[in-house]
Amino acid sequence: MSENNPKPEREGELPEQDRPFFSAVLTPHRSLGPNGFLILMCFFGAVSFVAGILFLRIGAWPVFGFFGLDIALLWFAFQMNYHSARTFEEVVVSRHEIAIRKVGPGKKYQEYRFNPFWVRLTVDRIEDEGVVKVTLQSRGEKVDLGNFLNPDDRTSFAGAMANALSVAKAGGV
C-alpha cells in the first residue's frame, strides 16, 4: 500500500496514545457451578424418587409423577438461570473513546461509543447497600453499567471507572 493509502491499523498496532488503558468485562456471578448442579440434581432426584416410591406403595400413584415434574421444573429453572448468566458487558476506555458492548444471553448485543470529554459518570449510592447504579450519560444518551453486579463489585467498578475517566480527561497520561 502507498503512503497516501495506508493499511488500517489493527488493535495491536495502534499508536500508543490511542491504545486502551482501561478494559473491563463485567459478568454476572453464579454461585453454583456445573459440578454443584449435578450433585444438587442427583440429591433432589434421589429424594424425590424415594418419596415417590413411598407414595406409590400406599396407593397414591399420581404423586410419583408430580415428583418427576418437580425435578423437571427444577432442571428447567437452572437451565434458564445458566442461560441468562451468559450476559456480559465489555467496557474499554482509551484517550479518545469509551466503547461499551452489552451482550445478552441470546447473542443479542448493543454497542455504545462516547467521547470521554463529554461523558458524565453518575453513581447512585444508598447508605446501607452501597452503590446501586452506575450510569454513563452523554448528549442525552444514558447507559447503565453492571446492573447484574452485587453492590460490592459495583462499588469497585464505579471507582475504577471514575479513575479511568479522569485519566482519559487528563489526556491518557
Side-chain angles (χ1 to χ4, degrees), residues 7-8 11-13 42 45 57 59 66 68 80-81 85-88 93 105 109 122 131-132 140 147 161:
K7 289 194 306 187
E11 190 171 319
E13 301 171 358
C42 287
R57 295 185 118 215
F66 284 109
M80 293 300 294
N81 185 15
R86 294 183 195 147
T87 301
F88 69 90
V93 179
Y109 70 94
T122 305
V131 174
V132 292
N147 288 338
M161 190 66 192

Short mmCIF file of all heavy atoms in Angstrom, two decimals, residues 7-8 11-13 42 45 57 59 66 68 80-81 85-88 93 105 109 122 131-132 140 147 161:
data_model
loop_
_atom_site.label_atom_id
_atom_site.label_comp_id
_atom_site.label_asym_id
_atom_site.label_seq_id
_atom_site.Cartn_x
_atom_site.Cartn_y
_atom_site.Cartn_z
N LYS A 7 -2.51 0.83 5.25
CA LYS A 7 -3.36 -0.25 5.72
C LYS A 7 -4.04 0.18 7.01
O LYS A 7 -3.46 0.92 7.80
CB LYS A 7 -2.52 -1.51 6.02
CG LYS A 7 -1.99 -2.17 4.80
CD LYS A 7 -1.47 -3.55 5.06
CE LYS A 7 -0.45 -3.62 6.14
NZ LYS A 7 0.16 -4.93 6.29
N PRO A 8 -5.27 -0.27 7.23
CA PRO A 8 -5.91 0.06 8.52
C PRO A 8 -5.13 -0.58 9.66
O PRO A 8 -4.67 -1.71 9.54
CB PRO A 8 -7.31 -0.53 8.40
CG PRO A 8 -7.27 -1.45 7.25
CD PRO A 8 -6.11 -1.06 6.39
N GLU A 11 -5.68 -3.51 16.28
CA GLU A 11 -5.65 -3.08 17.69
C GLU A 11 -4.25 -3.20 18.28
O GLU A 11 -3.82 -2.37 19.05
CB GLU A 11 -6.63 -3.93 18.51
CG GLU A 11 -6.84 -3.39 19.89
CD GLU A 11 -7.95 -4.10 20.59
OE1 GLU A 11 -8.99 -4.37 19.97
OE2 GLU A 11 -7.77 -4.37 21.80
N GLY A 12 -3.50 -4.22 17.92
CA GLY A 12 -2.15 -4.40 18.45
C GLY A 12 -1.17 -3.42 17.87
O GLY A 12 -0.08 -3.23 18.39
N GLU A 13 -1.53 -2.78 16.75
CA GLU A 13 -0.63 -1.85 16.09
C GLU A 13 -1.04 -0.40 16.27
O GLU A 13 -0.57 0.47 15.56
CB GLU A 13 -0.58 -2.18 14.59
CG GLU A 13 -0.11 -3.58 14.30
CD GLU A 13 -0.28 -3.94 12.83
OE1 GLU A 13 -0.80 -3.09 12.06
OE2 GLU A 13 0.12 -5.03 12.44
N CYS A 42 -28.84 -34.69 41.47
CA CYS A 42 -28.82 -36.09 41.92
C CYS A 42 -29.46 -36.23 43.30
O CYS A 42 -30.24 -37.17 43.54
CB CYS A 42 -27.39 -36.63 41.94
SG CYS A 42 -26.72 -36.94 40.30
N GLY A 45 -33.18 -35.63 42.92
CA GLY A 45 -33.73 -36.76 42.18
C GLY A 45 -33.88 -37.98 43.06
O GLY A 45 -34.91 -38.67 43.03
N ARG A 57 -46.35 -46.93 46.96
CA ARG A 57 -46.67 -48.12 47.77
C ARG A 57 -47.96 -47.96 48.57
O ARG A 57 -48.64 -48.95 48.86
CB ARG A 57 -45.53 -48.45 48.72
CG ARG A 57 -44.28 -48.86 47.95
CD ARG A 57 -43.20 -49.30 48.90
NE ARG A 57 -42.96 -50.71 48.54
CZ ARG A 57 -42.66 -51.65 49.37
NH1 ARG A 57 -42.56 -51.38 50.65
NH2 ARG A 57 -42.44 -52.88 48.97
N GLY A 59 -50.50 -46.30 47.50
CA GLY A 59 -51.60 -46.19 46.56
C GLY A 59 -51.82 -44.81 45.97
O GLY A 59 -52.75 -44.63 45.18
N PHE A 66 -45.85 -36.34 39.94
CA PHE A 66 -45.61 -34.95 40.32
C PHE A 66 -44.19 -34.73 40.85
O PHE A 66 -43.62 -33.65 40.67
CB PHE A 66 -46.66 -34.47 41.34
CG PHE A 66 -47.99 -34.18 40.70
CD1 PHE A 66 -49.07 -35.01 40.93
CD2 PHE A 66 -48.15 -33.10 39.86
CE1 PHE A 66 -50.29 -34.75 40.35
CE2 PHE A 66 -49.37 -32.83 39.27
CZ PHE A 66 -50.44 -33.66 39.51
N GLY A 68 -41.64 -36.30 39.68
CA GLY A 68 -40.86 -36.20 38.44
C GLY A 68 -41.01 -34.84 37.79
O GLY A 68 -40.04 -34.28 37.26
N MET A 80 -32.46 -22.09 32.62
CA MET A 80 -32.77 -20.69 32.29
C MET A 80 -31.82 -19.74 33.02
O MET A 80 -31.38 -18.74 32.46
CB MET A 80 -34.23 -20.37 32.65
CG MET A 80 -35.25 -21.11 31.81
SD MET A 80 -35.12 -20.76 30.06
CE MET A 80 -35.58 -19.05 30.05
N ASN A 81 -31.51 -20.06 34.26
CA ASN A 81 -30.58 -19.25 35.04
C ASN A 81 -29.19 -19.26 34.40
O ASN A 81 -28.55 -18.23 34.26
CB ASN A 81 -30.52 -19.77 36.48
CG ASN A 81 -29.67 -18.92 37.37
OD1 ASN A 81 -29.32 -17.80 37.03
ND2 ASN A 81 -29.32 -19.46 38.51
N ALA A 85 -26.93 -16.27 32.50
CA ALA A 85 -25.59 -15.97 33.01
C ALA A 85 -24.59 -15.72 31.89
O ALA A 85 -23.47 -15.29 32.15
CB ALA A 85 -25.09 -17.10 33.90
N ARG A 86 -24.98 -15.97 30.66
CA ARG A 86 -24.07 -15.72 29.53
C ARG A 86 -24.00 -14.24 29.18
O ARG A 86 -23.27 -13.85 28.28
CB ARG A 86 -24.52 -16.52 28.31
CG ARG A 86 -24.40 -17.99 28.52
CD ARG A 86 -24.79 -18.74 27.28
NE ARG A 86 -25.01 -20.14 27.63
CZ ARG A 86 -25.89 -20.91 27.05
NH1 ARG A 86 -26.63 -20.44 26.07
NH2 ARG A 86 -26.03 -22.15 27.42
N THR A 87 -24.75 -13.43 29.87
CA THR A 87 -24.73 -11.99 29.67
C THR A 87 -23.40 -11.42 30.13
O THR A 87 -22.84 -11.86 31.13
CB THR A 87 -25.87 -11.34 30.49
OG1 THR A 87 -27.10 -11.90 30.08
CG2 THR A 87 -25.89 -9.85 30.36
N PHE A 88 -22.88 -10.45 29.39
CA PHE A 88 -21.70 -9.74 29.87
C PHE A 88 -21.66 -8.35 29.25
O PHE A 88 -22.34 -8.07 28.27
CB PHE A 88 -20.39 -10.51 29.57
CG PHE A 88 -20.02 -10.60 28.12
CD1 PHE A 88 -19.22 -9.64 27.53
CD2 PHE A 88 -20.46 -11.67 27.35
CE1 PHE A 88 -18.86 -9.74 26.20
CE2 PHE A 88 -20.11 -11.78 26.03
CZ PHE A 88 -19.31 -10.80 25.43
N VAL A 93 -11.84 1.88 27.71
CA VAL A 93 -11.61 3.32 27.73
C VAL A 93 -10.23 3.60 27.16
O VAL A 93 -9.23 3.04 27.61
CB VAL A 93 -11.70 3.88 29.18
CG1 VAL A 93 -11.45 5.38 29.18
CG2 VAL A 93 -13.04 3.56 29.81
N PRO A 105 -28.07 -12.82 26.58
CA PRO A 105 -27.97 -14.27 26.55
C PRO A 105 -28.23 -14.88 25.19
O PRO A 105 -27.72 -15.93 24.86
CB PRO A 105 -29.03 -14.73 27.56
CG PRO A 105 -29.92 -13.58 27.76
CD PRO A 105 -29.14 -12.35 27.44
N TYR A 109 -26.66 -8.03 21.06
CA TYR A 109 -25.74 -7.09 21.67
C TYR A 109 -26.06 -5.66 21.26
O TYR A 109 -26.71 -5.41 20.25
CB TYR A 109 -24.29 -7.43 21.33
CG TYR A 109 -23.89 -7.19 19.90
CD1 TYR A 109 -23.30 -5.99 19.52
CD2 TYR A 109 -24.09 -8.16 18.93
CE1 TYR A 109 -22.94 -5.77 18.22
CE2 TYR A 109 -23.72 -7.96 17.62
CZ TYR A 109 -23.15 -6.75 17.27
OH TYR A 109 -22.79 -6.52 15.98
N THR A 122 -22.41 8.90 36.58
CA THR A 122 -23.31 9.09 37.72
C THR A 122 -23.31 7.81 38.53
O THR A 122 -23.56 6.73 37.99
CB THR A 122 -24.75 9.40 37.24
OG1 THR A 122 -24.72 10.51 36.37
CG2 THR A 122 -25.65 9.68 38.41
N VAL A 131 -23.22 1.15 46.36
CA VAL A 131 -23.55 1.61 45.02
C VAL A 131 -24.65 0.74 44.44
O VAL A 131 -24.53 -0.48 44.40
CB VAL A 131 -22.30 1.59 44.11
CG1 VAL A 131 -22.66 1.93 42.68
CG2 VAL A 131 -21.24 2.55 44.62
N VAL A 132 -25.74 1.37 44.00
CA VAL A 132 -26.87 0.63 43.44
C VAL A 132 -27.02 0.84 41.94
O VAL A 132 -27.70 0.08 41.27
CB VAL A 132 -28.20 0.98 44.15
CG1 VAL A 132 -28.19 0.48 45.58
CG2 VAL A 132 -28.48 2.45 44.08
N GLY A 140 -27.62 13.34 26.01
CA GLY A 140 -28.96 12.77 26.05
C GLY A 140 -29.03 11.26 26.01
O GLY A 140 -30.11 10.70 26.11
N ASN A 147 -25.62 -3.66 35.99
CA ASN A 147 -26.84 -3.81 36.79
C ASN A 147 -26.92 -5.17 37.47
O ASN A 147 -27.57 -5.31 38.50
CB ASN A 147 -28.08 -3.61 35.92
CG ASN A 147 -28.26 -2.17 35.53
OD1 ASN A 147 -27.76 -1.27 36.19
ND2 ASN A 147 -28.97 -1.95 34.45
N MET A 161 -13.91 2.92 37.15
CA MET A 161 -14.42 3.68 36.00
C MET A 161 -14.21 5.17 36.20
O MET A 161 -13.84 5.88 35.26
CB MET A 161 -15.90 3.35 35.80
CG MET A 161 -16.46 3.88 34.52
SD MET A 161 -15.71 3.05 33.13
CE MET A 161 -16.29 4.09 31.82
#
